[in-house]
Structure formats: structure tokens, C-alpha cells
């Protein structure tokens, strides 16, 4: 039996209906009046499910990390969006004011780096330009953070931040060097199969510290990233011949301002998409790939040599054709001259003979 009081807060009426799907319970609008005169108000048609969802959020919240991002430019915002979507809290600081952008993304922005640190994030991600990294780190108030903060970076070069971290960070900080090898353009949609290179440079033995590092890495794994554990030095060696060359070719083609054509081939379209994936990145980023990866200079020289070699093959063939034409003409002219002179010599001899006779 439903008493008047409970019926008022119940979502469902127990009245049977003729349809199969709603044979047990059916939703009764708030203003409806049942046959027995009870007012039944619906507050939520799916209470049991809602309860489960709420319970899950509580569990997730217990596991949620507070992640601080230093440098809230292009990449900082890109990575913040995905972290927030996984239920973590993001706080950010930057040289410029990104309060409005942060608010839109659901993050909190702290223009003052001291205030940012006083929020005691579990993890700090350095997402500043490669060129400004040393300056930012040298001025950073590490002492305001928790004693065992996990410090990460997402720089596109790896040996440089690793060395700086080991030199400048307090000894009790954990260090994780990361390079998500994708950005706002190439990782616009899914992160499935996109490589994430990382090196656990220094992670304390305590279970909590290990778990925090794993939980953070799991965030990328969960998005489908291809997780590649690799030393920072090896990353730079491989990245110089792949990423730096990709960016260089993308920049060269971008500088050419290639326009779409009505007969574009698939190959040409992939060149244009290469430009889209590289040319929008800041020049600071590109310059950082060159300046702060000691393997880049040699790869740039190899690219230049390869270009000269290909160009050389073209021009050599062209020169050969022209040379052949020149020398064949010359040879033909010489043999013609020779024939003419032989002929006139013969003529001279026969004239002499005729005169003698
Ligand atoms: P970026 O030009 O490399 O860096 C821009 C960021 O650096 C902004 O947050 C900017 O802060 C900060 N910054 C620049 N000069 C500064 C200075 N003198 N002092 C303090 N902060 C300074 O562009 P990005 O694409 O955002 O890249 C950020 C980091 O992510 C880089 O280390 C890059 O290598 C790495 N990364 C980028 C990609 C990508 O596809 N874009 C992919 C993987 C990794 P303000 O805006 O406040 O001035």
C-alpha cells in the first residue's frame, strides 16, 4: 500500500498498463491524479541508475589527481582538455592571462605562480616552449610545492629537460619525462595508436609514489596511446631523423604555399596534411627541435645533401642530353668537314694528274 506521504516522493505509480514494456511500472506526471486520489510527483525517472552513477563519481573523485600545468598555450590547453574529461582536476599558470580559456575548459587559472604552487598539485606538467624552459625552471618556486611532487614535462626534445630537472629540481621530487608525439592537429580526435614516449627518470620507492606515476601514465594508455618506454637520449636520436625532418619538410612546403588543385592526387593531399600538422606549430617549437636536440644538425645536413643529390641527378641527365647534342653536332660537323676536305683533296690530286697527263 502506498501512503500519501511516500507516494508524493515516488517516481512511479504501481498502476498496470496494457503495453508489454511498461507492464509493471509507468511514469506518472507530477500533476496527475491517480484513481485512488493520490498526488504522485515524479522526481527522477531513473533513480536506481542515477544512484550507481553518483556512487561511481565518488569513487573516481577519491582517485582523481590534481594536475598543475605550467605554460597554458596551445599544447597546455590541448592536454588539459583531455585530462579534465578523465575526471581529474586541472590548475594552470602561464606568462599570459588564460583565465577565460581555463574557465571554459573547466580548469582554474592562477596568474601568480606562487599561488599556483600553494594549491599543492599532485603532479606538475611543464608545457612551456623549449626555448623558455631553463628560464622558467630557474625562477620556479619549487619550495612552495609538496615535498614529493611528481614533476613531468611534455617537451618535444627530451635529453635537455631531463638534465635540467636532475640539476634544478629538489632531490625529493619524482621525475617523469614525457613526449606525446602528437598535438592539437594530429591528436584532434582519438589518441588511439598515437605514440607516447616516456622515461621514468626518478620515481621514489614508496607505493603511493609508484602508483601516482602509473595512474598518470594510465591516463594516456586509457586513451589508446601506444606507450613507448625509452631513454630520453634514444628519443632524441630517433626524433631527429623522424620528427625534426617531418617538421622541416612541412615548413618548407608550408613556405611554398601549396594550393589545392582540381587534379590533386592522394600523394599531394598527404603533403598538404603534413603542412597542416606542422606549419601551425609555433616557430619557437620548431627552432627548439633544432637547437635543443644535438642530433638535429646532422639530420639537416643529410636532408640538404639528399636534396642536392636528387637535384644533381636531374641536372646531370639534362646536361648529358644537351652535351650529347652539342658534341654529336660537333662530331657530325667535324666528320662533314673531314669528308669535304678529303673530297677536295681528291679533287686536287685528280686535277694535278690530269694536268700532268
Ligand atoms: P610553444 O611555442 O612551444 O610554447 C608555448 C608556451 O610556452 C606557452 O604556454 C607560453 O606561455 C610559454 N612561453 C613561451 N615563452 C615563454 C617565456 N619566455 N616565459 C614563460 N613562458 C613562455 O607551443 P606549444 O605548442 O604550446 O608547446 C608547448 C610545449 O609542448 C613545447 O615544449 C612543445 O615542444 C611541447 N609539445 C608540443 C606539441 C605540439 O604539437 N604543439 C606536441 C608535443 C609536445 P604564454 O602563452 O603564457 O606566453
Amino acid at each position: 500500500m502506498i501512503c500519501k506521504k511516500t507516494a508524493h516522493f515516488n517516481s512511479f505509480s504501481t498502476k498496470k498498463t496494457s503495453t508489454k514494456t511498461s507492464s509493471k511500472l509507468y511514469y506518472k506526471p507530477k500533476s496527475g491524479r491517480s484513481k485512488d486520489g493520490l498526488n504522485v510527483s515524479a522526481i527522477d525517472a531513473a533513480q536506481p541508475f542515477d544512484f550507481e552513477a553518483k556512487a561511481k563519481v565518488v569513487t573516481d573523485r577519491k582517485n582523481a589527481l590534481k594536475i598543475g600545468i605550467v605554460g597554458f598555450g596551445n599544447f597546455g590547453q590541448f592536454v588539459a582538455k583531455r585530462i579534465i574529461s578523465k575526471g581529474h582536476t586541472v590548475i594552470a599558470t602561464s606568462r599570459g592571462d588564460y583565465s577565460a580559456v581555463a574557465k571554459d575548459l573547466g580548469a582554474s587559472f592562477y596568474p601568480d605562480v606562487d599561488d599556483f604552487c600553494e594549491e599543492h598539485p599532485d603532479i606538475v606538467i611543464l608545457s612551456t616552449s623549449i626555448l623558455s624552459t631553463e628560464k622558467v625552471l630557474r625562477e620556479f618556486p619549487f619550495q612552495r610545492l609538496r615535498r614529493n611532487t611528481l614533476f613531468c614535462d611534455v617537451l618535444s626534445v627530451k635529453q635537455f629537460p631531463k638534465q635540467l630537472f636532475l640539476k634544478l629540481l629538489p632531490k625529493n621530487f619524482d621525475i617523469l619525462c614525457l613526449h606525446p608525439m602528437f598535438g592539437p592537429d594530429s591528436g584532434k580526435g582519438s589518441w588511439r595508436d598515437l605514440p607516447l614516449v616516456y622515461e621514468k627518470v626518478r620515481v621514489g620507492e614508496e607505493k603511493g609514489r609508484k602508483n601516482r606515476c602509473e595512474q598518470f601514465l594510465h591516463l594516456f594508455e586509457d586513451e589508446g596511446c601506444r606507450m613507448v618506454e625509452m631513454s630520453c637520449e634514444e628519443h632524441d636520436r630517433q626524433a631527429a631523423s623522424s620528427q625534426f625532418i617531418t617538421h622541416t619538410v612541412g615548413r618548407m612546403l608550408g613556405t611554398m604555399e601549396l594550393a589545392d588543385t582540381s587534379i590533386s592526387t592522394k600523394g599531394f593531399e598527404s603533403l598538404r596534411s603534413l603542412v597542416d600538422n606542422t606549419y601551425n606549430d609555433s616557430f619557437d617549437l620548431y627552432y627548439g627541435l633544432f637547437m635543443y636536440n644535438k642530433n638535429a644538425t646532422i639530420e639537416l645536413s643529410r636532408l640538404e645533401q639528399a636534396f642536392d643529390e636528387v637535384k644533381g641527378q636531374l641536372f646531370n641527365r639534362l646536361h648529358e642530353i644537351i652535351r650529347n647534342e652539342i658534341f654529336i653536332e660537333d662530331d657530325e660537323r667535324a666528320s662533314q668537314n673531314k669528308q669535304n676536305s678529303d673530297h677536295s683533296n681528291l679533287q686536287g690530286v685528280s686535277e694535278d694528274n690530269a694536268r700532268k697527263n
Side-chain angles (χ1 to χ4, degrees):
M1 196 188 132
I2 304 169
C3 76
K4 274 192 180 180
K5 206 172 171 193
T6 52
H8 186 72
F9 293 103
N10 212 328
S11 313
F12 303 102
S13 158
T14 51
K15 187 180 174 187
K16 295 211 168 171
T17 65
S18 56
T19 56
K20 250 188 175 175
T21 45
S22 55
S23 60
K24 283 189 185 146
L25 301 167
Y26 72 94
Y27 170 72
K28 187 125 176 98
K30 202 174 177 178
S31 57
R33 194 171 172 81
S34 71
K35 215 167 57 178
D36 55 7
L38 293 176
N39 271 331
V40 180
S41 301
I43 54 167
D44 186 347
Q47 260 185 16
F49 303 110
D50 195 40
F51 172 78
E52 277 170 27
K54 276 183 185 151
K56 188 175 179 304
V57 170
V58 174
T59 334
D60 287 349
R61 249 189 231 138
K62 268 204 281 183
N63 295 328
L65 294 163
K66 188 191 261 191
I67 299 180
I69 299 181
V70 180
F72 212 50
N74 207 13
F75 196 77
Q77 292 168 34
F78 166 68
V79 86
K81 203 187 267 180
R82 207 55 77 103
I83 293 173
I84 292 168
S85 78
K86 309 293 285 177
H88 301 287
T89 303
V90 169
I91 63 170
T93 190
S94 208
R95 182 178 55 167
D97 182 8
Y98 289 97
S99 309
V101 182
K103 196 171 167 216
D104 282 352
L105 292 175
S108 310
F109 187 78
Y110 295 85
D112 188 307
V113 69
D114 288 306
D115 293 343
F116 167 87
C117 291
E118 301 269 342
E119 283 297 309
H120 293 159
D122 302 298
I123 299 174
V124 173
I125 305 175
L126 188 71
S127 181
T128 48
S129 67
I130 300 169
L131 305 184
S132 66
T133 300
E134 181 157 6
K135 178 180 170 286
V136 170
L137 283 179
R138 286 198 182 276
E139 292 169 0
F140 201 84
F142 298 112
Q143 73 283 359
R144 293 192 187 276
L145 289 168
R146 272 216 210 104
R147 276 178 51 76
N148 71 356
T149 308
L150 170 60
F151 224 86
C152 307
D153 79 287
V154 289
L155 268 60
S156 309
V157 293
K158 294 269 57 81
Q159 193 179 354
F160 170 64
K162 176 182 172 179
Q163 281 179 355
L164 271 179
F165 280 4
L166 287 170
K167 195 160 108 188
L168 301 177
L169 260 52
K171 295 276 174 284
N172 42 302
F173 277 21
D174 288 343
I175 300 175
L176 175 67
C177 288
L178 297 172
H179 183 200
M181 303 208 59
F182 49 91
D185 292 306
S186 51
K188 206 177 341 186
S190 161
W191 288 4
R192 184 146 299 283
D193 296 330
L194 300 177
L196 180 109
V197 179
Y198 66 96
E199 182 185 354
K200 294 176 199 168
V201 177
R202 188 172 72 201
V203 180
E205 279 305 309
E206 292 134 59
K207 201 170 156 215
R209 295 170 82 150
K210 285 188 168 172
N211 285 349
R212 176 179 58 185
C213 182
E214 291 308 323
Q215 193 188 350
F216 183 55
L217 287 172
H218 187 69
L219 197 149
F220 295 91
E221 205 172 349
D222 207 36
E223 285 292 297
C225 286
R226 184 159 60 81
M227 307 298 285
V228 186
E229 189 164 11
M230 181 185 279
S231 75
C232 291
E233 293 73 14
E234 177 60 14
H235 164 278
D236 282 4
R237 204 182 57 72
Q238 293 193 22
S241 61
S242 55
Q243 187 199 25
F244 175 65
I245 293 298
T246 309
H247 275 257
T248 303
V249 174
R251 285 219 159 246
M252 279 158 45
L253 297 175
T255 309
M256 284 175 73
E257 295 180 1
L258 298 172
D260 200 8
T261 71
S262 57
I263 51 165
S264 294
T265 58
K266 284 217 172 331
F268 183 68
E269 274 165 19
S270 53
L271 284 187
R272 298 228 323 149
S273 94
L274 171 65
V275 175
D276 291 343
N277 283 335
T278 52
Y279 204 60
N280 293 334
D281 287 331
S282 69
F283 192 80
D284 272 7
L285 197 163
Y286 176 58
Y287 183 63
L289 295 181
F290 172 68
M291 187 63 194
Y292 290 89
N293 185 341
K294 62 182 183 187
N295 309 287
T297 316
I298 192 155
E299 292 304 324
L300 191 62
S301 304
R302 270 165 37 82
L303 183 71
E304 210 177 353
Q305 272 168 21
F307 179 71
D308 285 345
E309 207 174 302
V310 172
K311 197 171 156 191
Q313 282 171 1
L314 291 176
F315 283 94
N316 282 347
R317 181 174 284 196
L318 192 64
H319 288 164
E320 209 175 294
I321 294 168
I322 296 170
R323 247 181 241 121
N324 281 345
E325 278 177 8
I326 295 168
F327 290 113
I328 284 170
E329 272 178 18
D330 271 6
D331 288 350
E332 278 173 358
R333 218 175 292 126
S335 89
Q336 189 62 50
N337 287 345
K338 192 167 180 299
Q339 270 179 19
N340 291 345
S341 94
D342 287 351
H343 183 71
S344 51
N345 283 346
L346 271 176
Q347 230 176 355
V349 171
S350 52
E351 278 171 12
D352 277 354
N353 287 342
R355 233 177 280 125
K356 278 181 197 161
N357 293 333

CSV table of all heavy atoms in Angstrom, one decimal, residues 134 137-138 142 159-171 175 201-202:
chain,number,residue,atom,x,y,z
A,134,GLU,N,64.5,26.7,-19.5
A,134,GLU,CA,65.5,26.9,-18.4
A,134,GLU,C,65.2,28.1,-17.6
A,134,GLU,O,65.2,28.1,-16.4
A,134,GLU,CB,66.9,27.1,-19.1
A,134,GLU,CG,68.0,27.2,-18.0
A,134,GLU,CD,69.4,26.8,-18.5
A,134,GLU,OE1,69.5,26.5,-19.7
A,134,GLU,OE2,70.2,26.9,-17.6
A,137,LEU,N,62.2,27.3,-15.3
A,137,LEU,CA,62.6,26.5,-14.2
A,137,LEU,C,63.5,27.2,-13.1
A,137,LEU,O,63.3,27.0,-11.9
A,137,LEU,CB,63.3,25.2,-14.7
A,137,LEU,CG,62.5,24.1,-15.3
A,137,LEU,CD1,63.3,23.0,-15.8
A,137,LEU,CD2,61.5,23.6,-14.3
A,138,ARG,N,64.4,28.0,-13.6
A,138,ARG,CA,65.3,28.7,-12.7
A,138,ARG,C,64.5,29.7,-11.8
A,138,ARG,O,64.9,30.0,-10.7
A,138,ARG,CB,66.4,29.5,-13.5
A,138,ARG,CG,67.4,28.5,-14.0
A,138,ARG,CD,68.7,29.2,-14.4
A,138,ARG,NE,69.7,28.2,-14.9
A,138,ARG,CZ,70.4,27.4,-14.2
A,138,ARG,NH1,70.4,27.5,-12.9
A,138,ARG,NH2,71.3,26.6,-14.8
A,142,PHE,N,59.8,26.1,-6.4
A,142,PHE,CA,59.6,24.7,-6.0
A,142,PHE,C,59.3,24.5,-4.6
A,142,PHE,O,58.6,23.6,-4.2
A,142,PHE,CB,60.9,23.9,-6.3
A,142,PHE,CG,61.3,23.9,-7.8
A,142,PHE,CD1,62.4,24.5,-8.2
A,142,PHE,CD2,60.5,23.2,-8.7
A,142,PHE,CE1,62.8,24.5,-9.5
A,142,PHE,CE2,60.9,23.2,-10.1
A,142,PHE,CZ,62.0,23.9,-10.5
A,159,GLN,N,66.4,15.0,-23.8
A,159,GLN,CA,67.6,15.0,-23.0
A,159,GLN,C,67.8,16.3,-22.3
A,159,GLN,O,68.2,16.3,-21.1
A,159,GLN,CB,68.8,14.7,-23.9
A,159,GLN,CG,70.1,14.4,-23.2
A,159,GLN,CD,71.2,14.1,-24.1
A,159,GLN,OE1,71.1,14.0,-25.3
A,159,GLN,NE2,72.4,13.9,-23.5
A,160,PHE,N,67.4,17.4,-22.9
A,160,PHE,CA,67.6,18.7,-22.3
A,160,PHE,C,66.8,18.9,-21.1
A,160,PHE,O,67.3,19.2,-20.0
A,160,PHE,CB,67.2,19.7,-23.4
A,160,PHE,CG,67.1,21.2,-22.9
A,160,PHE,CD1,68.2,21.8,-22.4
A,160,PHE,CD2,65.9,21.8,-23.0
A,160,PHE,CE1,68.1,23.1,-21.9
A,160,PHE,CE2,65.8,23.1,-22.6
A,160,PHE,CZ,66.9,23.8,-22.0
A,161,PRO,N,65.4,18.6,-21.1
A,161,PRO,CA,64.7,18.8,-19.8
A,161,PRO,C,65.1,17.8,-18.7
A,161,PRO,O,65.1,18.1,-17.6
A,161,PRO,CB,63.2,18.6,-20.2
A,161,PRO,CG,63.2,17.9,-21.5
A,161,PRO,CD,64.5,18.3,-22.2
A,162,LYS,N,65.5,16.6,-19.2
A,162,LYS,CA,65.9,15.6,-18.2
A,162,LYS,C,67.1,16.1,-17.4
A,162,LYS,O,67.2,16.1,-16.2
A,162,LYS,CB,66.3,14.3,-18.9
A,162,LYS,CG,66.8,13.2,-18.0
A,162,LYS,CD,67.2,11.9,-18.8
A,162,LYS,CE,67.9,10.9,-18.1
A,162,LYS,NZ,68.2,9.7,-18.9
A,163,GLN,N,68.1,16.6,-18.2
A,163,GLN,CA,69.3,17.1,-17.5
A,163,GLN,C,69.0,18.3,-16.6
A,163,GLN,O,69.5,18.4,-15.5
A,163,GLN,CB,70.3,17.6,-18.6
A,163,GLN,CG,71.1,16.4,-19.2
A,163,GLN,CD,72.0,16.9,-20.2
A,163,GLN,OE1,72.1,18.0,-20.6
A,163,GLN,NE2,72.8,15.9,-20.7
A,164,LEU,N,68.1,19.2,-17.1
A,164,LEU,CA,67.7,20.4,-16.3
A,164,LEU,C,67.0,20.0,-15.0
A,164,LEU,O,67.2,20.5,-13.9
A,164,LEU,CB,66.8,21.3,-17.1
A,164,LEU,CG,67.4,22.4,-17.9
A,164,LEU,CD1,66.3,23.1,-18.6
A,164,LEU,CD2,68.2,23.3,-17.1
A,165,PHE,N,66.1,19.0,-15.1
A,165,PHE,CA,65.3,18.5,-14.0
A,165,PHE,C,66.2,17.9,-12.9
A,165,PHE,O,66.1,18.2,-11.7
A,165,PHE,CB,64.3,17.4,-14.4
A,165,PHE,CG,63.0,18.0,-15.0
A,165,PHE,CD1,62.8,19.3,-15.2
A,165,PHE,CD2,62.0,17.1,-15.3
A,165,PHE,CE1,61.6,19.8,-15.8
A,165,PHE,CE2,60.8,17.6,-15.9
A,165,PHE,CZ,60.6,18.9,-16.1
A,166,LEU,N,67.2,17.1,-13.4
A,166,LEU,CA,68.1,16.5,-12.5
A,166,LEU,C,69.0,17.5,-11.8
A,166,LEU,O,69.4,17.4,-10.6
A,166,LEU,CB,69.0,15.4,-13.2
A,166,LEU,CG,68.2,14.2,-13.6
A,166,LEU,CD1,69.1,13.3,-14.5
A,166,LEU,CD2,67.8,13.3,-12.3
A,167,LYS,N,69.2,18.6,-12.5
A,167,LYS,CA,70.1,19.6,-11.9
A,167,LYS,C,69.3,20.6,-11.0
A,167,LYS,O,69.8,20.9,-9.9
A,167,LYS,CB,70.7,20.4,-13.1
A,167,LYS,CG,71.9,21.3,-12.7
A,167,LYS,CD,72.7,21.6,-13.9
A,167,LYS,CE,72.5,23.1,-14.3
A,167,LYS,NZ,73.1,23.5,-15.5
A,168,LEU,N,68.1,21.0,-11.4
A,168,LEU,CA,67.4,22.1,-10.7
A,168,LEU,C,66.3,21.6,-9.7
A,168,LEU,O,66.0,22.4,-8.8
A,168,LEU,CB,66.8,23.0,-11.7
A,168,LEU,CG,67.8,23.7,-12.7
A,168,LEU,CD1,67.1,24.6,-13.7
A,168,LEU,CD2,68.8,24.5,-11.9
A,169,LEU,N,65.7,20.5,-9.9
A,169,LEU,CA,64.6,20.1,-9.0
A,169,LEU,C,65.1,19.6,-7.7
A,169,LEU,O,66.1,18.9,-7.6
A,169,LEU,CB,63.8,19.0,-9.7
A,169,LEU,CG,62.5,19.4,-10.5
A,169,LEU,CD1,62.8,20.5,-11.4
A,169,LEU,CD2,61.9,18.2,-11.2
A,170,PRO,N,64.3,19.8,-6.6
A,170,PRO,CA,64.6,19.3,-5.3
A,170,PRO,C,64.8,17.8,-5.4
A,170,PRO,O,64.0,17.1,-6.1
A,170,PRO,CB,63.4,19.7,-4.4
A,170,PRO,CG,62.8,20.8,-5.1
A,170,PRO,CD,63.0,20.6,-6.6
A,171,LYS,N,65.7,17.2,-4.6
A,171,LYS,CA,66.0,15.8,-4.7
A,171,LYS,C,64.9,14.9,-4.4
A,171,LYS,O,64.8,13.7,-4.9
A,171,LYS,CB,67.2,15.4,-3.7
A,171,LYS,CG,68.5,16.1,-4.1
A,171,LYS,CD,69.3,15.3,-5.1
A,171,LYS,CE,70.6,16.1,-5.5
A,171,LYS,NZ,70.4,17.2,-6.5
A,175,ILE,N,60.5,12.4,-11.0
A,175,ILE,CA,60.6,13.0,-12.3
A,175,ILE,C,60.2,12.0,-13.4
A,175,ILE,O,60.6,10.8,-13.4
A,175,ILE,CB,62.1,13.3,-12.6
A,175,ILE,CG1,62.6,14.4,-11.6
A,175,ILE,CG2,62.3,13.9,-14.0
A,175,ILE,CD1,64.1,14.7,-11.7
A,201,VAL,N,62.4,8.9,-15.0
A,201,VAL,CA,63.8,9.3,-14.6
A,201,VAL,C,64.0,9.0,-13.2
A,201,VAL,O,65.1,8.5,-12.8
A,201,VAL,CB,64.0,10.8,-15.0
A,201,VAL,CG1,65.4,11.2,-14.6
A,201,VAL,CG2,63.8,11.0,-16.5
A,202,ARG,N,63.1,9.4,-12.3
A,202,ARG,CA,63.3,9.1,-10.9
A,202,ARG,C,61.9,9.0,-10.2
A,202,ARG,O,61.2,10.0,-10.2
A,202,ARG,CB,64.1,10.3,-10.3
A,202,ARG,CG,64.5,10.2,-8.9
A,202,ARG,CD,65.4,11.3,-8.4
A,202,ARG,NE,64.7,12.6,-8.2
A,202,ARG,CZ,65.3,13.7,-8.3
A,202,ARG,NH1,66.6,13.8,-8.5
A,202,ARG,NH2,64.6,14.9,-8.1
